[in-house]
Amino acid sequence: MRTHESAQVLPTLPDGSDWPMHIVDGAPALLAYLDHEQRFRYANQTHRAWLGLDPRRLLGRRLIEVVGQRNHRLASAALEQAYAGQPASYEGELYDGRKRRYAHGNFQPDFDAEGRVRGVFTALVDITERRTLELQLHESEQRFFGAFQHAAIGMTLIHPDGHFLRVNAAVCQMLGYREEELLALDIAAITHPDDLPADRELLRQLLAGQRESYQLEKRNFHQSGRVVHSQISMSLVRDEHGTPLYFVAQVQDISQRKAFEEALHRERELAEVTLRSIGDAVITTDPQLHITSLNPIAEAMTGWHGAEALGRPIEDIFQLFDAQRGQAVANPLRAAIEHNTIVDLAGKTLLRHRHGFDTPVEDSSAPIHDHAGNVIGGVLVFHDVSETRALALKMIHLTQHDTLTGLPNRSQLHAHIEQALAAAVRRQQRAALLYLDIDHFKHVNDLYGHANGDRVLREIVAQIRHCLPGDELLSRYDGDAFVLVLPHLESAGDAASLAQTLLARLAQLRLGNLPELALRVSIGISVYPDDALEAELLLQNAETALYAAKAQGQHGYRFFTASMHERAHARRQIEMALRQALARDELSLHYQPKVDAGSGAIVGAEALLRWHAEGRERYAPNQFIPVAEDSGLILPIGAWVLRQACHQARTWQQQGHALPVSVNVSPLQFQHADFYRWLDEVLDESGLDPGLLELELTERMVMSGGDATTGLLRRIRQRGVRLSLDDFGTGYCSLSYLTHFPIDALKIDRAFVRDVTTDADTATITRAIIAMARNLQKQVIAEGVETAEQGDFLRRAGCSQLQGFLYGEPMPAAALERRLGAAGRTR
């Protein structure tokens, strides 16, 4: 053996040459030579950095003495293979005495002249950083597929050959398959044969790069064999070289929409049959008065066949003469379309047949409107003088009125607004529009059925009409939205007074066999000429004011102001950004501690949603949460919050902190038909003890749902999850009702806490609430505690838990962990 200038001893190489010491000593890997007894005969300087030992002290020592039994056991299989004469490698955990590392090692046997193994060359490289990146990538993929799996719409990943690679729960439920069943199929197996060629052609175009994505309506087969009409949005994911990896498909069940379209088709067919079978003659035209159709009676009375008349001017087909003077009479339909109104024939009029004879007729002419109120044609309904005009008038009425309520529909609204504005100009008065919307009316249909929903709408119309003193015009604009035109307005205060009356009356609406509805209404008001001079702009401004009323808190009214346009724009910006926030990992949860009122120890935490981007808060919760609720985005976001909070609570539980975590549930989320199933899946997935999860509900959510809500609350409570009423005291929930619901805790609203030490009445009410709640064996939590005086008062009054800035602001999970750890060390 020879000694290197660095005092490390090397074995003589088989060829007798020297080792390149300046290279091996400076190598970033652990390089060593072990003899046949696994004793170090060489170790480079990198061992000093890893083990904190002078490499010279390793020489002659056995490997197990240096690295320890744990590391030796991990690498023993690879070493044994090398000593058996086969090159070997190892990749995995190794410990350097201070922390865990990940290493990749190569073991190369060294043979003597007779071919016997006399030692092993070892080289280990630290791959800890690469391993960390791999784990982060894995976690990112897990988050993506978590969002994929629990998306509200159907999601699938499809191999370029058409086989399913991944499917989420929504698409499985939609098609009635279990996940493993669907993964065994391809697109062709579930697609209707008649729709398969078009689907395949579009997929081919995607693969060929001829299009980026496509949308397609097609028929899929349910596992039971029935047809599911689906809306498919398909795109292709490629790798960095452009090679197709997989298709991403979003699938929506549009079977109900297709049923509606079929029903509409049947309605049109029925209308066609009706027109052909009624006793009156009917002619329709386009806006330029060219014939588009004649029913059989019109063909008989004019002498023209429908195919011959198609496209001809109305005067060629429908020729009118004065019965007394014999002079030609102007076609009434031309005036009807020109003035956008109904025009009847005056006096005695004759219709001249194609072959020259005349028939005395009565006629009614009217424009035909589309859903936006635009004139798209005209209709003539006529018969001889012995016939009744009732049917024609009824048809015209149906084109201009809502069938459910009998109110003028939106096609007539613009004309009525124009008339109101003209009257206001003549009288030198103001006019106003009130745009009313029933907040979350969909819940009425979901809870009580559409038939009862229609009954409620008719009663709403009756109540509004009851509040109208004069010639105001009420129109059903769309669904649960109504527009009220006030043609004579002395001052803006009159509109405000009427809005308040409507709010109060509709909030008290009752209907027969239905539970208390407690309808909440939002009203937007625009005033002529202050806010606009034209009917369309006046209506737009009223709608803008309506959204402002919703934003400030439902069940209220707002007058239009110019600044609302900016807020409406900002609201749209928030909604667009919010649709990407989850995918961009911009949402997070902070946790505000709850403390025991007596000891001050942390006994719980409330999960609070935050939105950060690029290290700063992008929007405050009171800015984006109302937008999420109005847009329906609260459903996927709420599901994400519930899942994150449960996983965090489970992590704390595993660390020895059995800390209950409370989560706020939105009304839209709670009233969804699948809410309990989502909750059950999240608890199973996270492994969290249900007793460590608390759902915070509002009084209105608990009180307005009837028996269905009571049953859901009981199922949740039987699952072991705790329930609390948030912001207690600000709603309409009577304490006596609490005996009917399985509520565990009440949270006293911060409005009471704020004034409890400065206002005697507030203090008295707060003491009464706490005392009665404790008598009902409900836990009482006070939120918004900011001063020691407030905390002392609430503690003496009997609150069991306190929450507020005095005890800690909302903080990231890691910060709360440090507080929990510090508290544990103190105890």
Side-chain angles (χ1 to χ4, degrees), residues 689-762:
D689 179 353
L692 295 180
L693 175 64
E694 181 177 284
L695 301 183
E696 294 193 8
L697 314 173
T698 65
E699 296 178 28
R700 180 175 178 79
M701 290 163 59
V702 172
M703 294 293 295
S704 62
D707 293 340
T709 295
T710 304
L712 176 58
L713 291 172
R714 287 176 178 157
R715 288 183 70 192
I716 293 172
R717 194 65 194 86
Q718 288 169 358
R719 185 70 169 83
V721 176
R722 290 172 52 82
L723 298 168
S724 69
L725 281 186
D726 194 15
D727 299 337
F728 188 77
T730 61
Y732 54 81
C733 184
S734 168
L735 282 167
S736 63
Y737 276 103
L738 294 177
T739 59
H740 301 293
F741 301 115
I743 300 298
D744 298 288
L746 308 178
K747 292 193 74 173
I748 299 178
D749 185 69
R750 63 184 65 246
F752 289 96
V753 174
R754 182 186 61 239
D755 300 330
V756 76
T757 60
T758 58
D759 184 82
D761 291 339
T762 300

Side-chain angles (χ1 to χ4, degrees), residues 103-342:
H104 178 85
N106 286 311
F107 302 101
Q108 184 71 32
D110 178 30
F111 301 96
D112 60 17
E114 286 76 28
R116 292 172 301 199
V117 176
R118 63 181 179 184
V120 171
F121 294 99
T122 69
L124 273 77
V125 179
D126 188 350
I127 60 168
T128 303
E129 183 175 352
R130 190 195 80 188
R131 175 66 175 178
T132 301
L133 292 174
E134 290 174 348
L135 290 175
Q136 290 173 348
L137 177 60
H138 177 72
E139 291 172 0
S140 176
E141 291 174 345
Q142 289 296 105
R143 286 195 299 271
F144 166 76
F145 284 111
F148 172 94
Q149 181 64 23
H150 300 288
I153 65 171
M155 297 287 293
T156 66
L157 302 184
I158 303 167
H159 191 275
D161 67 4
H163 281 83
F164 291 107
L165 299 174
R166 192 176 184 92
V167 294
N168 72 348
V171 79
C172 290
Q173 182 179 10
M174 187 187 307
L175 298 177
Y177 288 95
R178 296 193 305 274
E179 181 178 359
E180 60 272 17
E181 293 175 333
L182 202 49
L183 291 177
L185 303 177
D186 60 8
I187 293 178
I190 65 166
T191 302
H192 194 286
D194 294 345
D195 296 342
L196 191 56
D199 203 4
R200 282 177 168 165
E201 173 58 21
L202 289 170
L203 289 172
R204 184 198 66 76
Q205 293 176 18
L206 277 184
L207 290 169
Q210 296 173 352
R211 57 170 65 229
E212 294 293 327
S213 60
Y214 69 82
Q215 286 193 342
L216 174 70
E217 289 185 10
K218 70 171 188 175
R219 291 164 291 179
N220 285 328
F221 287 119
H222 191 272
Q223 194 271 345
S224 64
R226 65 178 174 85
V227 169
V228 177
H229 290 271
S230 302
Q231 172 83 40
I232 310 295
S233 296
M234 187 79 75
S235 58
L236 178 62
V237 176
R238 301 175 183 268
D239 64 15
E240 65 272 15
H241 306 296
T243 304
L245 295 177
Y246 51 82
F247 298 105
V248 179
Q250 298 180 13
V251 189
Q252 292 180 285
D253 187 346
I254 59 169
S255 300
Q256 188 177 33
R257 193 192 83 190
K258 283 295 184 182
F260 290 155
E261 291 175 355
E262 181 64 27
L264 179 59
H265 176 72
R266 289 196 297 270
E267 291 284 344
R268 288 176 177 170
E269 288 292 312
L270 178 61
E272 184 73 20
V273 171
T274 302
L275 287 175
R276 291 185 172 279
S277 61
I278 63 174
D280 279 6
V282 180
I283 298 177
T284 62
T285 73
D286 62 19
Q288 290 72 43
L289 275 78
H290 293 105
I291 300 295
T292 56
S293 72
L294 285 76
N295 75 344
I297 303 299
E299 290 179 334
M301 292 184 69
T302 62
W304 287 87
H305 190 272
E308 294 178 289
L310 188 66
R312 287 178 175 269
I314 186 68
E315 284 82 2
D316 290 356
I317 310 302
F318 192 71
Q319 299 179 3
L320 297 175
F321 295 88
D322 185 279
Q324 295 177 338
R325 292 175 290 180
Q327 297 176 340
V329 176
N331 194 297
L333 187 55
R334 192 169 295 279
I337 291 180
E338 181 178 348
H339 299 291
N340 193 19
T341 188
I342 299 172

